[in-house]
Amino acid sequence: MATHSIIGVLGAGEVGRAVAGQAVRNGHEVVIGNSRGPASLQSLVGGLGPTARAGTAEDAVQPELVFLAVPFFAVPELTGLTDWSGKIVVDTTNQFAEANPWRGRYDVGDLTGSEWVARHLPGARVVKALNTMFASFIAANPRHAEGRQVAFYAGDDAGAKEAVADVLGSFGFAALDLGGLRDGGRLMQLDGPLSARHLLLQDVG
């Protein structure tokens, strides 16, 4: 993954930390940022290792490939954070209306959650991924004697999907393409048939 050896992670909650940990362990450089600033992340990046660094939210979205790990309802605040044109954004969010505790469903009308996210990040090449898993499953080694942890993904940009599949594969996941943001996104989003489903793929041959 030389093309995306530097990965941005926006959000330092459980999912953001899990993604950053997988990236560092598997040879990527990581810039992780949040709304509270780099000082709040020093302990985290110290535990991740030397290829991780803390940054501002603006720093975290500078790489070409960015994992979005913020609360769903915070997405509209990100529109002006950077020029999103051409960036690959891995949307790990779920449509919870409130956090701590997570509850309720944010109303986006007939859109899927990732279609709604894409509308707020103009020009971004959005790929839905990792939202169907609890953070502990993202953080754990996806390689098991029985098979590899499945990571579903969906998107409307073939090149972006290929790049995200490569990154997920580098983490050790079995990346499975579910199609576009509408049909695939409906399968993956909160209350969809694949939400909170943790599956292993047995490789044959």
Side-chain angles (χ1 to χ4, degrees), residues 51-124:
T51 62
R53 69 177 178 89
T56 63
E58 290 83 357
D59 293 331
V61 297
Q62 292 313 302
E64 183 184 356
L65 190 147
V66 177
F67 280 83
L68 186 64
V70 300
F72 186 82
F73 51 80
V75 170
E77 302 170 14
L78 307 178
T79 301
L81 190 61
T82 190
D83 179 0
W84 294 100
S85 299
K87 287 188 183 294
I88 299 172
V89 175
V90 187
D91 177 20
T92 73
T93 67
N94 281 301
Q95 287 173 242
F96 288 108
E98 297 182 43
N100 300 320
W102 297 102
R103 61 186 179 185
R105 189 186 181 100
Y106 196 103
D107 184 8
V108 296
D110 186 50
L111 298 173
T112 64
S114 287
E115 287 176 315
W116 183 86
V117 167
R119 289 195 176 186
H120 287 86
L121 308 179

Side-chain angles (χ1 to χ4, degrees), residues 155-171:
D156 297 332
D157 184 298
K161 289 205 302 183
E162 182 179 1
V164 172
D166 284 347
V167 170
L168 295 174
S170 78
F171 291 177

Side-chain angles (χ1 to χ4, degrees), residues 128-130 132 150-154 168 174 176 178 188 194 197 199:
K128 190 76 169 178
L130 298 183
T132 63
V150 171
F152 301 107
Y153 66 98
L168 295 174
L176 294 185
L178 296 182
M188 298 168 67
L194 296 178
R197 296 294 184 262
L199 309 176

